[in-house]
Amino acid sequence: MFDTLIVGGGVAGMQCALLLGSALKKEYAKEKKVSIIMHQKASHLQEALFNNVLGLAQGTLGKDILNEGREQLETLYPEVTQICGEKVVAVLDDEKGYKIITNKEEYYSKSVVIALNYAKPFEIAGLEQYIERHSRANAMKDRIQLRNFNHLIKEGLYVCGTLAGWRSQFAIAAGSGASVATDILTEWNENIPTKVHDKIKK
């Protein structure tokens, strides 16, 4: 049973996981359990080349960001459980929150973050009723999003990145994942607006 389970290991999902991981030593988050299903094969980062992202060296490859992101999460925040080699097939309401079914296993979580890309087909049972035409993508590309209000689909169910209706831009996707993480941290912290920054120790 997790407190938060993130579905998708692209930029939005990993940014969400990194921010939640960095908060797990805070008093309000000490007992929280976070997991990410690192399904990355369909990530658009696999074919990306970055020259225009603040903090990334010119010529950075998206596939390298995926690999380094996994290692960064594992090294800095090993408390965040990484689930690899599984694909989510259903996200269903459950009395405990949500039941997440993959091609290999079943998990339970109080909240779920969907951080997948906006391409068709989208075949996760339990989420079909939220699919709609993407509001910002080129109509010719026939992209989709999940209906949400400020990343929230319904209580305990979030979406971030392009599937939340944002444009396919690295900085936007990362910001969207971070935004969802701070919303979850705020909820954990008795609804006191919350953000987390690591600081240099003096």
Side-chain angles (χ1 to χ4, degrees):
M1 181 69 182
F2 297 106
D3 291 282
T4 297
L5 188 146
I6 301 160
V7 177
V11 60
M14 279 200 287
Q15 183 60 69
C16 185
L18 284 163
L19 211 154
L20 290 176
S22 72
L24 291 179
K25 290 185 173 65
K26 300 285 185 184
E27 195 60 39
Y28 60 82
K30 270 210 271 194
E31 304 300 318
K32 302 297 184 185
K33 292 188 169 104
V34 177
S35 178
I36 179 169
I37 295 179
M38 297 291 274
H39 187 65
Q40 298 179 319
K41 288 182 182 175
S43 172
H44 290 156
L45 281 184
Q46 295 285 6
E47 298 173 352
L49 166 67
F50 294 106
N51 293 321
N52 64 352
V53 179
L54 181 66
L56 293 185
Q58 177 183 337
T60 297
L61 298 177
K63 63 182 181 180
D64 292 336
I65 292 173
L66 290 172
N67 292 329
E68 290 163 12
R70 280 196 309 265
E71 291 169 12
Q72 180 182 3
L73 187 59
E74 176 62 35
T75 301
L76 292 176
Y77 312 116
E79 310 89 338
V80 176
T81 303
Q82 292 190 41
I83 300 168
C84 299
E86 297 185 32
K87 185 175 181 180
V88 173
V89 296
V91 175
L92 308 172
D93 290 340
D94 183 82
E95 58 186 19
K96 303 170 191 172
Y98 294 93
K99 179 179 183 180
I100 301 92
I101 303 170
T102 75
N103 56 332
K104 297 180 180 177
E105 196 59 73
E106 293 182 359
Y107 305 94
Y108 293 87
S109 186
K110 293 175 185 172
S111 67
V112 177
V113 179
I114 307 297
L116 301 170
N117 75 47
Y118 60 172
K120 291 180 178 178
F122 184 83
E123 299 173 324
I124 298 180
L127 300 179
E128 310 96 324
Q129 67 269 36
Y130 305 113
I131 297 173
E132 58 187 23
R133 187 180 67 78
H134 198 285
S135 61
R136 289 183 176 91
N138 184 335
M140 301 280 288
K141 294 197 172 183
D142 196 24
R143 303 301 193 192
I144 59 165
Q145 66 184 51
L146 297 183
R147 188 171 59 253
N148 69 92
F149 179 73
N150 289 336
H151 297 106
L152 186 66
I153 297 173
K154 64 177 185 175
E155 185 178 354
L157 183 60
Y158 299 85
V159 59
C160 61
T162 55
L163 199 57
W166 297 107
R167 289 190 176 91
S168 182
Q169 194 79 32
F170 184 94
I172 295 173
S176 176
S179 182
V180 168
T182 57
D183 287 346
I184 291 169
L185 295 179
T186 296
E187 190 179 314
W188 289 353
N189 196 20
E190 298 181 358
N191 292 314
I192 299 168
T194 303
K195 58 183 173 42
V196 177
H197 289 290
D198 296 328
K199 293 184 178 158
I200 297 171
K201 292 180 181 175
K202 295 183 180 179

